[in-house]
Amino acid sequence: MKIVITDGATLSGGGVSLERFSRYGEVCAYDLTAPKQLAERLADAEVLLCNKTPVPAEIFDKCPKLRYIGECATGYNNIDIAAAKAHGVTVCNAGVYSTNAVAQHTFALILHHYSCVAAYDAAVRDGVWKRAKTFSVMPYPMEELSGKILAVVGLGSIGRKVAAIGAAFGMHVIAATRTTPRDCPYDLVSVDEAFARADVLTLHTPLTEQTAHMVNRRRLETMKPTALLVNTARGGLINEDDLAWALQNGMIAGAALDVLTEEPMGDTPLYGLENCTITPHVAWTPLETRQRLLSIVEDNLRLYLAGTPQNVIC
């Protein structure tokens, strides 16, 4: 059996190895795969393991031996699922591997905004504290999280973890979710109400036709001018032109993003805005998180080969 890994550079290194997959067949691992290279590399492969490689509908016609795709991520919008299903190709994703890490990074971004750690560290390094006449120097206003309204949009495993952390900080948590959870301890609201009421609004939904550009000018205009928008989910949830307009015109106080519509970063209007913090899609990258990811991907493949697949998308 031939196993092709199309974007190994996004998965391996830093204490993580792809060698584990060699026990299941012949492995051909590529650092990255351009769209025009995909069909040739998958021509005689039965298994594809990918992270962000786009897998469009035509690939399934060109690669008739392909029987299984292991998505090395939670989101699977890079794969044409309808085409995979039509061709009898099983697709499994990695489920909840990144819950703790993404929730942690979400609050790192929130705390960065309200506690001003980076600004104060830079000030101390510039000698501000050495030159001070008082024991405390406070040019950057800080705020408590306690009492603020945390609006969580999407109440899957990551959203629930973020909500729990927010509650532990003393925040008042409200949630907007497509499905109504049982015994939810938080106030359930519509997406529009979440935007309007939030002091901090954080996105934890998949990118679908229904959620694309859910952050847009209409909703941004309803937000508090003191609000913070956080996105550690998918860049396509945000209309970046509309968000840049809102940030430049004081419609909201700030944004903190780990994802963008185009990755690596392209020509986004958000680049360089003082009230927009951007990290390069790193919420999922702690060592323990990536080790867990590959363990789940391996288990998915092993159970598929055993005839009992798990985490099945189609």
Side-chain angles (χ1 to χ4, degrees):
M1 180 177 68
K2 183 175 180 179
I3 302 168
V4 173
I5 302 172
T6 52
D7 45 4
T10 69
L11 297 168
S12 61
V16 175
S17 171
L18 301 175
E19 287 297 321
R20 65 178 70 207
F21 297 108
S22 61
R23 71 190 70 175
Y24 301 99
E26 174 195 356
V27 175
C28 292
Y30 301 94
D31 284 345
L32 295 170
T33 298
K36 64 182 180 181
Q37 297 173 311
L38 185 59
E40 179 183 354
R41 291 180 175 181
L42 290 179
D44 56 350
E46 297 170 74
V47 172
L48 163 62
L49 302 180
C50 62
N51 187 344
K52 295 294 182 287
T53 302
V55 186
E58 59 266 23
I59 287 299
F60 298 96
D61 289 322
K62 295 177 180 178
C63 306
K65 291 186 178 180
L66 186 63
R67 306 310 318 149
Y68 175 83
I69 300 177
E71 176 64 72
C72 303
T74 301
Y76 46 86
N77 54 289
N78 57 307
I79 301 169
D80 190 317
I81 296 299
K85 185 175 182 179
H87 286 78
V89 177
T90 299
V91 179
C92 297
N93 73 339
V96 295
Y97 80 96
S98 65
T99 298
N100 291 332
V102 176
Q104 174 181 311
H105 195 72
T106 297
F107 268 88
L109 293 171
I110 293 171
L111 290 167
H112 169 81
H113 179 79
Y114 287 108
S115 293
C116 305
V117 174
Y120 276 111
D121 176 67
V124 170
R125 293 174 186 273
D126 287 343
V128 170
W129 204 10
K130 284 187 175 182
R131 297 189 297 270
K133 295 181 179 180
T134 58
F135 77 94
S136 178
V137 183
M138 54 183 104
Y140 307 110
M142 298 166 62
E143 298 180 44
E144 293 184 358
L145 295 185
S146 180
K148 284 184 165 47
I149 296 176
L150 174 66
V152 180
V153 180
L155 212 55
S157 61
I158 296 173
R160 291 195 303 271
K161 188 74 173 183
V162 168
I165 296 171
F169 269 109
M171 304 181 80
H172 176 66
V173 180
I174 62 176
T177 180
R178 182 174 56 85
T179 57
T180 303
R182 293 182 179 179
D183 302 320
C184 181
Y186 314 115
D187 295 337
L188 296 178
V189 300
S190 68
V191 173
D192 286 343
E193 186 176 351
F195 274 79
R197 291 180 58 187
D199 293 308
V200 179
L201 187 136
T202 179
L203 304 176
H204 301 287
T205 68
L207 178 59
T208 66
E209 291 183 1
Q210 291 71 37
T211 62
H213 285 192
M214 67 186 304
V215 178
N216 51 52
R217 182 164 179 157
R218 177 182 69 82
R219 286 186 169 136
L220 288 164
E221 286 178 329
T222 70
M223 295 185 75
K224 299 174 183 177
T226 54
L228 173 69
L229 172 70
V230 182
N231 187 13
T232 55
R234 287 291 183 266
L237 299 175
I238 294 175
N239 182 313
E240 292 179 2
D241 288 326
D242 289 358
L243 178 56
W245 167 84
L247 291 168
Q248 290 168 327
N249 289 280
M251 300 303 299
I252 61 174
L257 315 172
D258 186 53
V259 288
L260 293 174
T261 300
E262 183 180 349
E263 297 177 351
M265 176 189 282
D267 186 19
T268 174
L270 299 171
Y271 181 68
L273 297 184
E274 289 188 5
N275 54 350
C276 185
T277 298
I278 302 175
T279 54
H281 205 145
V282 293
W284 69 284
T285 62
L287 175 59
E288 303 93 334
T289 313
R290 290 182 293 117
Q291 289 172 333
R292 187 181 306 114
L293 166 62
L294 291 185
S295 292
I296 294 172
V297 172
E298 181 183 1
D299 283 345
N300 286 350
L301 177 59
R302 176 177 55 81
L303 290 171
Y304 165 76
L305 295 174
T308 56
Q310 67 175 5
N311 298 320
V312 176
I313 303 303
C314 73

